[in-house]
Amino acid sequence: MNAEKDAFETQLAGALAQLRGVEAAIEGRAAVEKQNKKSQNLWAACQSLSTAIDKAVDQPGPLLPQLTAIHEAAAEDPLVSVVLNSLPVEAVSRGVLNEEHVARRFYKVRRWCRRVAMIGENGASPWTHILSYFQSFLIFDSFDPKKEGELVDVDNADTFDLLARAEYYLRRGDLELATRLVNQLRGEPRKVAHDWLLEARLLLETRQAANLLTAYAAVLGTAGAD
């Protein structure tokens, strides 16, 4: 009897261990599926945000719905919370203009900046305004694309040089570098470019956050697949 009892207990212990193993596997699988679902929801929400940013041509719309979806997809994720909290309030409540529209506005700003290139921080006489206006028609852009990688000597770069470089990089899709160049304008040209700089920075900051969140969602998805 004792031998049979011991054998039964051994079999029972083995069955229980096997059952616990199955339960652990099921729980592990459930955790993986939950993680995958989270990453999928986060990815979809991030894609929705990127689409909203790219489509905002003339009348930007609030990004709060897309950002709310991202928050709900990763409510307890500290990195997601930090990124969302870092977004400019205006981007959340008003939205951003897309790069195509920002680029179109640049050419209007560029034209007016050239016309006031001779006007300093403290203004100028009417005669200087007139000279500055006519000067804009006489000076042609002289940026040499062969020097694309060179550093800009801000102290020696004038309004026309900075604008020419900004246009060159903007045409090649480098809004960030174009914005940095426009930011170096001084005097009246900088005042003229003020609103454009705000829109460009708002777009860059918001798009950077969207790209970071999308990359993070992809990492979560990869981790879940492993």
Side-chain angles (χ1 to χ4, degrees):
M1 283 295 291
N2 289 335
E4 293 179 356
K5 182 180 179 181
D6 290 343
F8 175 75
E9 290 178 350
T10 300
Q11 291 177 354
L12 181 60
L16 289 174
Q18 186 176 10
L19 179 60
R20 291 191 184 98
V22 171
E23 289 177 344
I26 292 174
E27 290 176 355
R29 180 60 184 171
V32 170
E33 290 179 352
K34 182 179 180 181
Q35 180 67 25
N36 287 339
K37 183 65 175 177
K38 173 185 174 182
S39 63
Q40 290 170 5
N41 291 340
L42 181 58
W43 172 268
C46 291
Q47 289 299 303
S48 179
L49 174 61
S50 296
T51 299
I53 293 172
D54 292 338
K55 284 187 175 181
V57 182
D58 296 316
Q59 294 295 330
L63 297 177
L64 184 59
Q66 291 80 12
L67 297 174
T68 300
I70 292 175
H71 174 72
E72 291 175 349
E76 299 178 357
D77 193 302
L79 186 145
V80 173
S81 297
V82 168
V83 175
L84 292 179
N85 291 333
S86 69
L87 282 168
V89 175
E90 190 172 2
V92 178
S93 60
R94 193 214 66 176
V96 298
L97 296 171
N98 74 355
E99 186 164 344
E100 178 185 351
H101 186 78
V102 171
R104 288 207 308 266
R105 287 185 61 174
F106 168 80
Y107 294 105
K108 296 179 181 179
V109 170
R110 172 183 172 274
R111 183 171 64 252
W112 284 103
C113 285
R114 286 171 58 89
R115 291 178 179 178
V116 297
M118 295 177 64
I119 314 301
E121 295 285 350
N122 301 319
S125 67
W127 176 243
T128 302
H129 277 269
I130 295 173
L131 286 177
S132 182
Y133 177 81
F134 283 106
Q135 176 187 239
S136 67
F137 296 100
L138 300 175
I139 295 182
F140 298 94
D141 296 337
S142 59
F143 176 53
D144 184 358
K146 295 179 181 178
K147 301 178 182 179
E148 182 174 342
E150 69 176 341
L151 297 176
V152 179
D153 184 357
V154 177
D155 293 332
N156 295 318
D158 61 16
T159 296
F160 297 97
D161 185 39
L162 291 170
L163 291 173
R165 292 171 183 270
E167 180 183 4
Y168 176 82
Y169 290 111
L170 190 61
R171 286 183 180 276
R172 283 152 183 78
D174 196 337
L175 176 61
E176 183 176 356
L177 183 50
T179 302
R180 290 179 183 176
L181 290 164
V182 174
N183 190 52
Q184 302 302 322
L185 292 172
R186 299 176 291 274
E188 190 66 20
R190 182 174 180 81
K191 295 178 183 178
V192 171
H194 177 266
D195 289 346
W196 184 87
L197 280 170
L198 291 180
E199 292 292 351
R201 288 169 179 162
L202 192 64
L203 170 59
L204 287 170
E205 291 176 15
T206 306
R207 191 167 60 187
Q208 183 181 39
N211 291 341
L212 176 58
L213 290 171
T214 301
Y216 182 58
V219 171
L220 290 180
T222 303
D226 295 339

